[in-house]
Amino acid sequence: MLSIKNLHASVEGKEILKGINLEIKAGEVHAIMGPNGSGKSTLSQVLAGNEAFEVTEGEVTLNGDNLLELETEERAREGIFLAFQYPVEIPGVSNLQFLRTAVNAMRKHKGEPEMNAAEFMKLAREVSKQVDLDPAFLKRGVNEGFSGGEKKRNEIMQALLLQPKLAILDETDSGLDIDALKVVSDGVNALRSADRAILMVTHYQRLLNHIVPDHVHVLAGGKIIKSGGRELALELEERGYGWLGIKDEVAAQ
Amino acid sequence: MATTDKEVKELIKREYEHGFVTEIESDTFEPGLNEDVIRRLSEIKQEPEFMLEWRLKAYRRWLEMEEPEWAHVDFPKVDYNSISYYSAPKKKEDMPQSLDEVDPELLKTYEKLGIPLHERAKLAGVAVDAVFDSVSVATTFKEPLEKAGVIFCPISEAVQKYPELVKKYLGSVVPAGDNYFAALNSAVFSDGSFVYIPKGVRCPMELSTYFRINAANTGQFERTLIVAEEGSYVSYLEGCTAPMRDENQLHAAVVELVALDDAQIKYSTVQNWYPGDENGKGGIYNFVTKRGACIGKNSKISWTQVETGSAITWKYPSCVLRGENSVGEFYSVALTHNYQQADTGTKMIHLGKNTRSTIISKGISAGRSSNAYRGLVKFGPGAEGARNFTQCDSLLIGDRCGAHTFPYIESKNKSAIVEHEATTSKVSDEQMFLCRQRGIDPEQAVSMIVNGFCKEVFKELPMEFAVEAGKLLEVSLEGSVG
């Protein structure tokens, strides 16, 4: 589904990604782990099309089509979804209005009729329950005054509503307590399906106890230096990143 | 964002929607202003003697006055002798007695503007007065309004039919010599709306006036007077558009509101005069004096304005809170784009006991525009227990525009309470990225973010106009992404 070949990217002239190669097939769950500053978040931002980052080399295709020549919103409509690490607030715009605008943009792209306010309200209420968010949240401004955990659940709710082909989760577990982690993980597991891929970016292995990956990759210095199965994450938890020749004291926490 | 400039250039070509000119035969005065012009104007309008005297007095005052220069706007001097002070569609016979007699070209104009003057307007439940250049061309729903005792007619008609009311209230809130543009307006005003709501009557429908400048080199000087007797209520809306012309055109209006005991007036404006092109050429100079007097106790005047048009806006809808417990409100959204300049705000003059006022101002600047809020909150010695709350928020789109806030507070009463909050924010790249990552078009994203910013003001507008205002913002913002 997603094919990344020799991807180089920089921000403000500084190269962060230095030749990433990665193949993700439909139905698979991949986890990218690595210490702070390794380029994990950059990779997710670049895939989603954040214009602050410049791709200097390499190619990325989604189902054979060149992803890099698409605008951010076009990538989204082709099924790329990014759950943000720090979701931004949009004061005065209700979550409901924001979500309906997004869902209708996708539906329009697929040639489906737009949903009216009543239809959407019904759908949004159902999905909000799935991530244990009070439907009252739908009426509040986008992320306005949300706690860290509420923001993350809101992101997963959006993924469930938008039904992407590839969901990229950027540090979705950070700042969550155990209960919230469980809720978010259940939401992500509900996303798993044979025609959808999930790419999880995480610093900690604890998320992977709840969402079990098919493949684990270690990113360091802008390159994937090791790939393996589930057991690689467990090994990282036990031994830290040190045995791979990387310094990171918090990896195994 | 890296592509901002390119996007702006590509998208900015969007044209002003109401920029067409109606081909219609007009009677237009030669440009220039002197006492004879005013006499001719008064004669055409078949005005009683007192009106002509009033105009001449105002004109003489105006001659002695200086054009104000304190506003945060910059424009070449207006040559008042190059403007024509009267232009009216040539009537086939006399004044049209019903819509059937109105020139079809004119009706088409209002259809194009989305203002149906025909009876199907009944669906909307809004009575409309349409002012084309210097005259009122049609007023709808006269009958049901008359049944309720409400007077809603062109002010030129009111001068003839209700001279006592006009004499009593015209200039009672904005005196002829109040300021330069008010004096000019008092001398040469040509038409506008007159509304009178009798004691205890709740006006059965929204009243609305649409102003259209059509003729070239013509100024529009409309005058609106609304009087709400004891315990009455009225909601009034005005809308404005003009054709695209390379020359600047002057619009100097005066609006006066009078609220007696327990009366309420809600006055909403959607101002969309031609703003000039993307290089700042052309556009309307909108120099307007709007003031309401809460004379009676427990009276209330509420101004809501959505200002997206005009090359220059110079406007401060104000409230004089004389009656005990009277309430003044000002809700404003002012959007400037390209080279537009706005200096707008309000004055809340607290004179009576326990008077209260609320000011919510939302300024949005895009392109190379300049947007200033200027407000005065004043408490007289008798304003025991009076209070004001002011909130001024500015939103910047891009990095070549400016936002300014000039709040003035004067208090002569120690018990008065003032609260003031002000914020300035930007439509951030992060907000745009979040919206676009969810599949939303950049244009739609900006519009959604701006609408969210304006929400507190939009909710004060009558329902159907809130929708219109939202759409207007969307159109006005096209080409501002960044």
Side-chain angles (χ1 to χ4, degrees), chain A residues 73 76-77 82 89 155 158, chain B residues 431 436-439 441:
Chain A
E73 59 275 16
R77 291 173 203 154
L82 172 62
E89 298 185 0
E155 293 294 291
Q158 291 173 36
Chain B
Q431 288 172 330
R436 295 177 66 191
Q437 210 301 305
R438 298 301 184 252
D441 272 327

Side-chain angles (χ1 to χ4, degrees), chain A residues 45 48-51 71-74 76-77 80-84 88-94 97-98 101-103 105-106 139 142-143 155 158 162, chain B residues 1-4 6-7 425 428-456:
Chain A
Q45 298 279 322
N50 187 338
E51 289 164 3
E71 296 285 350
T72 307
E73 59 275 16
E74 291 168 336
R77 291 173 203 154
I80 301 272
F81 178 92
L82 172 62
F84 287 82
V88 67
E89 298 185 0
I90 309 180
V93 176
S94 78
Q97 188 200 351
F98 173 73
T101 307
V103 166
M106 302 288 186
K139 298 207 167 154
V142 177
N143 293 317
E155 293 294 291
Q158 291 173 36
L162 296 171
Chain B
M1 257 179 262
T3 57
T4 300
K6 195 186 80 201
E7 282 174 359
S425 51
S428 72
D429 291 351
E430 288 79 16
Q431 288 172 330
M432 289 299 291
F433 183 51
L434 169 62
C435 292
R436 295 177 66 191
Q437 210 301 305
R438 298 301 184 252
I440 300 169
D441 272 327
E443 295 274 297
Q444 205 180 355
V446 169
S447 155
M448 188 166 69
I449 294 167
V450 170
N451 266 287
F453 175 75
C454 300
K455 199 172 169 186
E456 283 163 283

Side-chain angles (χ1 to χ4, degrees), chain A residues 13-98:
Chain A
K14 193 183 168 207
E15 188 166 67
I16 309 283
L17 301 184
K18 299 172 181 171
I20 303 266
N21 292 290
L22 186 61
E23 296 288 329
I24 300 178
K25 295 193 179 72
E28 292 179 347
V29 176
H30 288 241
I32 296 212
M33 301 185 70
N36 286 328
S38 59
K40 303 190 300 288
S41 279
T42 300
L43 176 62
S44 47
Q45 298 279 322
V46 167
L47 292 177
N50 187 338
E51 289 164 3
F53 298 88
E54 194 193 348
V55 173
T56 50
E57 210 184 321
E59 64 176 57
V60 180
T61 56
L62 181 69
N63 293 325
D65 296 325
N66 183 355
L67 190 69
L68 298 178
E69 69 181 13
L70 299 181
E71 296 285 350
T72 307
E73 59 275 16
E74 291 168 336
R75 297 184 196 191
R77 291 173 203 154
E78 292 302 327
I80 301 272
F81 178 92
L82 172 62
F84 287 82
Q85 183 178 5
Y86 303 111
V88 67
E89 298 185 0
I90 309 180
V93 176
S94 78
N95 224 1
L96 196 66
Q97 188 200 351
F98 173 73

Side-chain angles (χ1 to χ4, degrees), chain B residues 147-324:
Chain B
K147 240 179 239 168
V150 170
I151 302 171
F152 177 42
C153 68
I155 198 152
S156 54
E157 190 181 319
V159 169
Q160 294 166 8
K161 278 189 170 168
Y162 314 101
E164 291 312 310
L165 282 175
V166 172
K167 226 179 199 170
K168 185 170 174 189
Y169 290 110
L170 191 73
S172 70
V173 186
V174 180
D178 186 81
N179 66 66
Y180 190 79
F181 298 111
L184 178 63
N185 173 285
S186 301
V188 302
F189 78 86
S190 42
D191 222 331
S193 296
F194 175 73
V195 177
Y196 178 81
I197 316 289
K199 197 170 164 177
V201 170
R202 191 182 166 88
C203 187
M205 58 183 77
E206 302 267 350
L207 302 183
S208 148
T209 302
Y210 271 87
F211 295 99
R212 172 80 178 162
I213 298 178
N214 187 61
N217 303 318
T218 305
Q220 191 177 51
F221 305 93
E222 90 262 3
R223 185 104 195 175
T224 298
L225 174 60
I226 299 178
V227 179
E229 289 277 10
E230 275 173 48
S232 66
Y233 170 87
V234 62
S235 169
Y236 177 93
L237 182 118
E238 61 170 1
C240 334
T241 57
M244 291 158 66
R245 294 189 188 279
D246 285 348
E247 310 83 33
N248 295 105
Q249 282 182 282
L250 180 63
H251 171 254
V254 172
V255 175
E256 295 178 279
L257 312 181
V258 181
L260 299 173
D261 286 357
D262 303 300
Q264 273 190 44
I265 301 174
K266 186 174 169 60
Y267 193 105
S268 314
T269 303
V270 175
Q271 186 263 106
N272 185 24
W273 295 117
Y274 177 52
D277 68 11
E278 70 272 22
N279 299 313
K281 196 171 169 66
I284 302 291
Y285 290 166
N286 189 35
F287 302 150
V288 172
T289 306
K290 290 183 166 174
R291 196 175 304 154
C294 284
I295 294 176
K297 54 178 197 283
N298 307 317
S299 58
K300 178 175 171 183
I301 288 178
S302 179
W303 298 100
T304 306
Q305 60 172 18
V306 177
E307 305 276 322
T308 60
S310 297
I312 299 177
T313 296
W314 184 97
K315 177 181 168 188
Y316 316 90
S318 306
C319 297
V320 181
L321 304 169
R322 198 175 293 278
E324 261 182 52

Side-chain angles (χ1 to χ4, degrees), chain A residues 43-239:
Chain A
L43 176 62
S44 47
Q45 298 279 322
V46 167
L47 292 177
N50 187 338
E51 289 164 3
F53 298 88
E54 194 193 348
V55 173
T56 50
E57 210 184 321
E59 64 176 57
V60 180
T61 56
L62 181 69
N63 293 325
D65 296 325
N66 183 355
L67 190 69
L68 298 178
E69 69 181 13
L70 299 181
E71 296 285 350
T72 307
E73 59 275 16
E74 291 168 336
R75 297 184 196 191
R77 291 173 203 154
E78 292 302 327
I80 301 272
F81 178 92
L82 172 62
F84 287 82
Q85 183 178 5
Y86 303 111
V88 67
E89 298 185 0
I90 309 180
V93 176
S94 78
N95 224 1
L96 196 66
Q97 188 200 351
F98 173 73
L99 296 173
R100 185 157 79 96
T101 307
V103 166
N104 280 337
M106 302 288 186
R107 292 178 70 95
K108 204 172 146 193
H109 178 69
K110 287 186 221 156
E112 294 170 6
E114 296 190 5
M115 287 181 108
N116 66 34
E119 284 168 343
F120 183 75
M121 186 70 189
K122 201 170 156 237
L123 174 68
R125 276 170 172 278
E126 279 167 22
V127 176
S128 68
K129 278 183 211 149
Q130 243 180 300
V131 290
D132 203 22
L133 268 181
D134 188 324
F137 271 87
L138 295 168
K139 298 207 167 154
R140 287 178 42 188
V142 177
N143 293 317
E144 216 181 347
F146 286 26
S147 73
E150 286 160 354
K151 284 182 182 173
K152 295 293 171 71
R153 280 186 273 164
N154 198 26
E155 293 294 291
I156 300 305
M157 178 170 89
Q158 291 173 36
L160 289 164
L161 275 171
L162 296 171
Q163 297 284 311
K165 285 187 193 131
L166 172 69
I168 305 165
L169 313 177
D170 190 1
E171 306 269 4
T172 292
D173 53 327
S174 69
L176 294 184
D177 61 29
I178 293 295
D179 293 337
L181 185 65
K182 177 83 171 59
V183 171
V184 166
S185 305
D186 288 350
V188 175
N189 284 324
L191 275 175
R192 290 182 91 144
S193 82
D195 53 6
R196 176 175 301 130
I198 296 175
L199 178 62
M200 284 187 291
V201 167
T202 180
H203 195 97
Y204 307 113
Q205 113 76 27
R206 64 168 191 171
L207 179 68
L208 309 184
N209 291 333
H210 300 273
I211 309 162
V212 179
D214 303 304
H215 301 274
V216 175
H217 313 275
V218 178
L219 188 65
K223 284 184 174 176
I224 290 176
I225 58 164
K226 194 166 180 62
S227 296
R230 170 81 222 275
E231 69 290 343
L232 178 57
L234 293 171
E235 198 168 356
L236 285 171
E237 182 178 37
E238 204 164 301
R239 302 174 61 186

Side-chain angles (χ1 to χ4, degrees), chain B residues 7-147:
Chain B
E7 282 174 359
V8 167
K9 276 173 199 147
E10 278 170 9
L11 293 164
I12 216 157
K13 289 166 195 155
R14 171 87 184 195
E15 289 197 354
Y16 178 72
E17 202 177 354
H18 308 294
F20 59 89
V21 176
T22 306
E23 289 303 330
I24 199 159
E25 270 193 280
S26 294
D27 281 323
T28 304
F29 280 12
E30 285 298 305
L33 183 57
N34 53 49
E35 293 205 3
D36 283 343
V37 168
I38 294 169
R39 286 203 171 85
R40 262 172 74 202
L41 180 67
S42 185
E43 200 184 312
I44 287 181
K45 299 267 174 196
Q46 297 169 346
E47 289 177 349
E49 189 61 24
F50 84 89
M51 209 55 249
L52 174 64
E53 284 309 314
W54 198 77
R55 287 176 181 279
L56 290 172
K57 217 170 126 189
Y59 174 66
R60 288 164 198 152
R61 282 294 299 275
W62 179 73
L63 285 177
E64 293 164 9
M65 295 169 93
E66 300 260 330
E67 201 170 327
E69 281 173 355
W70 44 263
H72 194 85
V73 295
D74 184 29
F75 59 96
K77 278 244 176 263
V78 177
D79 177 1
Y80 292 93
N81 277 316
S82 70
I83 297 170
S84 165
Y85 288 84
Y86 183 80
S87 177
K90 208 171 244 175
K91 291 155 205 154
K92 297 263 156 67
E93 305 131 44
D94 278 318
M95 277 290 281
Q97 295 308 303
S98 74
L99 275 176
D100 300 338
E101 294 174 30
V102 174
D103 190 320
E105 275 298 309
L106 270 180
L107 289 180
K108 265 191 238 160
T109 298
Y110 284 91
E111 290 285 336
K112 265 196 221 172
L113 295 171
I115 307 150
L117 294 177
H118 284 292
E119 287 299 298
R120 68 183 170 85
K122 200 172 273 175
L123 294 170
V126 178
V128 179
D129 185 20
V131 177
F132 193 85
D133 289 335
S134 306
V135 291
S136 168
V137 290
T139 307
T140 61
F141 294 104
K142 281 192 169 179
E143 275 176 37
L145 289 172
E146 269 165 26
K147 240 179 239 168

